[in-house]
Each structure stands twice: as C-alpha cells, then as structure tokens.
Amino acid sequence: MNNQSLIEADPEIFQTIQKESVRQKNGLEMIASENYASLAVMQAQGSIMTNKYAEGYPHKRYYGGCEFVDQAEILAIDRLKKLFNAPFANVQPHSGSQANQAVFLANLKLHDTILGLDLSNGGHLTHGSPVNSSGIFYRGATYKIDPESEAKPKLIIAGYSAYPRFLDFEKFKNIADDVGAELLVDMAHFAGLVATGHHPSPFPYADYVTSTTHKTLRGPRGGIILTQKEEKSKLVNSRIFPGIQGGPLMHVIAAKAVAFGEALRPDFKTYIGNVILNAKTLSEELLSQGFELVTGGTDNHLLLLDLSKTEVTGKLAETALDESGITVNKNTVPNEKRSPFVTSGIRIGTPALTTRGMGPNEMRQIGKWITKVLKNPEDLKVKAQVKAEVESLTQSFPLYT
Ligand code: PLP
C-alpha cells in the first residue's frame, strides 16, 4: 500500500495546489459564488469516506459496511432539515446542477416547458438554457427581471446566479398555481441568507427547493434538495438515485454535515449579517464613485456593476481587476448589447472576504481600488500598485493558519 504523502507521491500536483493556495491567500476573492470552507469541512471532505460505496439511502443500501456512512448521512439530513425547517431532505446531489436535473426528471416529460429567469438577466444555465440539458430535453422559456411571459410551463423556477435583490416566493407560487405549474426555488446563491433568516424562506410556497452547498452556505462543493411532502421527497430521491447518480460521495456528505452544523451556530448568523453589510457598503462606495449598479444597489451578498454606458467591457474589467489581485467575473446586464463573452457588467460578491474577517473599512478601500483600476484598465503601473496594496491588506487577514 502506498502511504506516501502527496508531496512525495505527486510533486507536480502538490505544487499546483500550493500555487492555488498562495493565489487564494494573496488575492481578494470576490466571485459571488465562492467562499472559503472551514478546515473541518475540508478534513471531512479529504477523509477515508471517499473509499466507500453506498448506493441507496441510509439503512436501505445496496452494499454492506455502510453503518458509519449511514451515520454521517443521517447527521447531514437531520442538520439540513433543522437549518431550513424542512421535513424532507436529500443530501446526495453531487452538484447544484444535478439537484435541478432530479427535480426536472421528477416532474417533466420530454419537451415540457420550464419557465426560468433569462440568463442575461441573472438566471442560471440549468434553468432552461438551450446549451444545457434543461433546454435540450425540455423547452426552456424565460422571464426577465420585469416579468412577463406567454409560456404555459409545467415548472417555474425562482432563483438566480446574478441578481441583487430578494425574491417574492408567494407571488411566484400564485403564478404557478394560476397556470397549474410546480414551483422550484433554486436558492443556490442565497441559501446562507435563508438559513439565518436574512432572506425570506421559500417555504411554505415552494414544491421543491434546490441549492448548492458551497456558496453562501460555505460547505463543500455539492447540492441538496428539500421538499415538504413525503410523496415528492420519495419521487425526487428515486430521481437522484438510481435516476441520475450512482454511488453518493460519502466524504462530501460527511463534509456537508460539518458545514450544516456550522451554519446552525449563532456565529454563522452574524457572519451572514456581515456579508450583507459588506455588500451594501461596497455598493455605496461604488455609487459614490459614480458607477451604476443593476437595480441601484443590493439586499444580498452580491452586486452587479453596470458598465454599459462606459468604454470598459466586462471582459476588460475582469482582466484588469484580476491583474490587480481582485478576482471577479464578467456578467451580462439586463438589456445586454455586448456578446456573452464580452458583456457590460461584472458581478462582485462579499461571502469569501467576509469569511476572512474583512468589514466595512476594507470594503470602502476595495471600492476605491476597483474605481482606480476601472478608470485606468490598461495602466500597468496602476495595476501593479493596486496589486501590491491588495497583497499587503491580505496579510492582515490570514487564511487557514
Ligand atoms: N443553480 C444556481 C442558481 C447556480 O448559481 C449554480 C452555480 O453557479 C448552480 C445551480 C449549479 O451548481 P453547480 O455548479 O454545483 O452544478
């Protein structure tokens, strides 16, 4: 048996991980969908549970030797149900995309219509985009931020990847009821806000709730599904396994349990409050510097800088900020005129920096740096200077020490 550590067994991969670690520590991570999982979450995810096959569900497995992975999965389920006050939970989806696929498979036939938020208005690829299986197997119809649609959907999705305000789930439910559709709330982005009471809960309105576990929820990469009715939970469980997945990732499920345990603690509520305060503070700083924001501000963990009236594209802004040690992503804005590869916006999020302990003072400083870089996106000297200042700031907020 090979007991060599990674550095001895595979120095090439060890080195790339080291470099990624330095990148994460020395830069400002402001991608709205990213966070820093705790050491405890990463230890569970890197644990021996990766070796175990456990097709099926706790106490109903197709393999022997599942007594301890059963315990881990039951802990994950119980904590998740408590976190969102939901009677039924599935913690097996390998990703947010697979959580959504299972709900589709549970409710739709080939070419049935899904109604989701338009990608260019902040929706997600899995909400009916023609390049995703959700738009290949089903008919993807879209609504925009100002909602109007002629579609007769079987499933309506409320949820987003890039939208800075709260969603009104009761309104969505009324519309779904009017057309006889089921309502899926994909809370991948704002799950941490719901868990801590900083965002209205999708329940009792949603028929299904899906989420990722690695964004504001700050767990390992993965997905979950919550339901309120037993028959829906049974159906969706069978769509995850054997419908679209085989063996669950038991090491990830153990890490999910750790993350849900963390999210149940009072300090997680304080953390999410700070995430929102930081996003609002950064918004105010950028507005005061003369920038425009989609919807004029934010209620959640992200903001969308609208550069459509400027010469600077989203693509250029992303590159210039990256070169200055600030990681964000280009994003389309409503009524986008540029191509999706260029775009007119950037999406900026505060979950990761808040995990590092940064607060309003740092947000105001970061807003000034963003302004400086976006006013001089080709100026190498400006970018080098900001990068040096960024690095110096990050030294005061150490990671994984
Ligand atoms: N749903 C929403 C709203 C998302 O933002 C994302 C990820 O960005 C997903 C689903 C997909 O999650 P994953 O990347 O885990 O497949």
Side-chain angles (χ1 to χ4, degrees):
M1 162 130 205
N2 191 343
N3 275 327
Q4 281 181 321
S5 64
L6 182 61
I7 189 169
E8 294 162 333
D10 195 331
E12 263 180 299
I13 280 293
F14 179 83
Q15 284 306 330
T16 61
I17 294 174
Q18 282 302 104
K19 285 185 204 153
E20 173 60 10
S21 169
V22 170
R23 189 194 70 78
Q24 289 194 16
K25 288 178 180 177
N26 290 357
L28 292 175
E29 190 51 75
M30 302 197 81
I31 291 182
S33 48
E34 292 186 11
N35 212 328
Y36 296 109
S38 70
L39 193 59
V41 164
M42 293 197 298
Q43 280 175 345
Q45 191 170 10
S47 75
I48 203 157
M49 284 204 179
T50 193
N51 296 334
K52 187 73 196 98
Y53 243 113
E55 278 180 359
Y57 288 95
H59 306 310
K60 280 174 273 167
R61 305 285 191 186
Y62 292 84
Y63 290 80
C66 288
E67 56 271 39
F68 302 116
V69 291
D70 272 6
Q71 284 176 16
E73 184 161 347
I74 289 166
L75 274 172
I77 291 170
D78 287 349
R79 290 175 185 175
L80 182 61
K81 290 195 311 199
K82 200 164 164 202
L83 197 54
F84 292 102
N85 207 7
F88 302 99
N90 187 315
V91 296
Q92 292 195 1
H94 299 334
S95 68
S97 298
Q98 275 166 309
N100 285 343
Q101 280 169 30
V103 174
F104 301 158
L105 205 56
N107 287 285
L108 303 171
K109 296 203 179 58
L110 213 55
H111 307 311
D112 275 352
T113 300
I114 298 173
L115 182 64
L117 179 62
D118 191 73
L119 199 59
S120 71
N121 276 234
H124 189 256
L125 284 165
T126 58
H127 296 183
S129 161
V131 296
N132 182 266
S133 65
S134 58
I136 296 170
F137 296 145
Y138 313 107
R139 199 174 82 76
T142 54
Y143 61 90
K144 304 225 157 135
I145 283 184
D146 191 7
E148 221 164 77
S149 173
E150 305 265 298
K152 285 268 176 287
K154 288 279 289 287
L155 184 78
I156 296 180
I157 308 176
Y160 57 78
S161 293
Y163 180 66
R165 301 293 183 184
F166 291 167
L167 301 181
D168 184 339
F169 301 120
E170 190 176 3
K171 252 190 193 156
F172 272 101
K173 179 63 176 163
N174 289 339
I175 295 167
D177 282 348
D178 280 351
V179 296
E182 299 275 291
L183 177 62
L184 162 63
V185 173
D186 178 349
M187 62 174 183
H189 261 267
F190 52 94
L193 282 69
V194 172
T196 52
H198 285 97
H199 187 293
S201 171
F203 293 130
Y205 305 108
D207 297 293
Y208 298 89
V209 175
T210 55
S211 183
T212 54
T213 46
H214 46 271
K215 299 186 173 94
T216 49
L217 214 43
R218 208 166 60 180
R221 307 199 76 76
I224 50 169
I225 307 174
L226 303 168
T227 38
Q228 294 188 92
K229 300 221 169 97
E230 191 170 8
E231 78 273 14
K232 286 195 197 305
S233 86
K234 280 188 174 155
L235 182 59
V236 96
N237 284 354
S238 74
R239 292 320 198 200
I240 281 290
F241 174 81
I244 57 168
Q245 291 187 179
L249 309 175
M250 295 318 303
H251 55 308
V252 178
I253 289 173
K256 284 174 180 171
V258 175
F260 302 153
E262 290 174 356
L264 281 164
R265 290 190 208 120
D267 58 337
F268 190 73
K269 185 169 181 160
T270 311
Y271 159 68
I272 293 288
N274 289 337
V275 167
I276 298 168
L277 175 66
N278 280 344
K280 283 184 188 289
T281 308
L282 182 57
S283 292
E284 280 154 22
E285 179 64 35
L286 291 170
L287 288 170
S288 80
Q289 299 281 355
F291 285 108
E292 287 193 15
L293 299 177
V294 171
T295 79
T298 182
D299 292 327
N300 60 18
H301 61 295
L302 68 84
L303 46 124
L304 282 163
L305 201 52
D306 184 349
L307 300 166
S308 48
K309 290 191 191 139
T310 76
E311 295 290 296
V312 182
T313 63
K315 187 177 176 199
L316 177 60
E318 178 188 301
T319 309
L321 287 168
D322 211 18
E323 288 164 353
S324 314
I326 301 173
T327 315
V328 297
N329 64 281
K330 62 177 178 290
N331 216 98
T332 49
V333 295
N335 305 314
E336 180 63 68
K337 302 275 183 311
R338 295 177 173 128
S339 101
F341 298 104
V342 179
T343 79
S344 302
I346 52 171
R347 185 181 67 157
I348 311 177
T350 54
L353 294 190
T354 310
T355 295
R356 278 187 96 148
M358 293 190 189
N361 287 340
E362 288 73 37
M363 294 305 123
R364 280 188 279 272
Q365 177 57 62
I366 291 166
K368 290 185 178 71
W369 284 330
I370 291 175
T371 307
K372 202 166 167 185
V373 173
L374 296 189
K375 295 217 159 123
N376 309 278
E378 319 271 8
D379 190 326
L380 297 181
K381 228 169 112 192
V382 165
K383 289 187 279 192
Q385 192 195 351
V386 170
K387 193 177 168 96
E389 287 173 13
V390 161
E391 256 192 68
S392 144
L393 176 73
T394 60
Q395 305 309 308
S396 313
F397 294 90
L399 260 182
Y400 303 121
T401 48

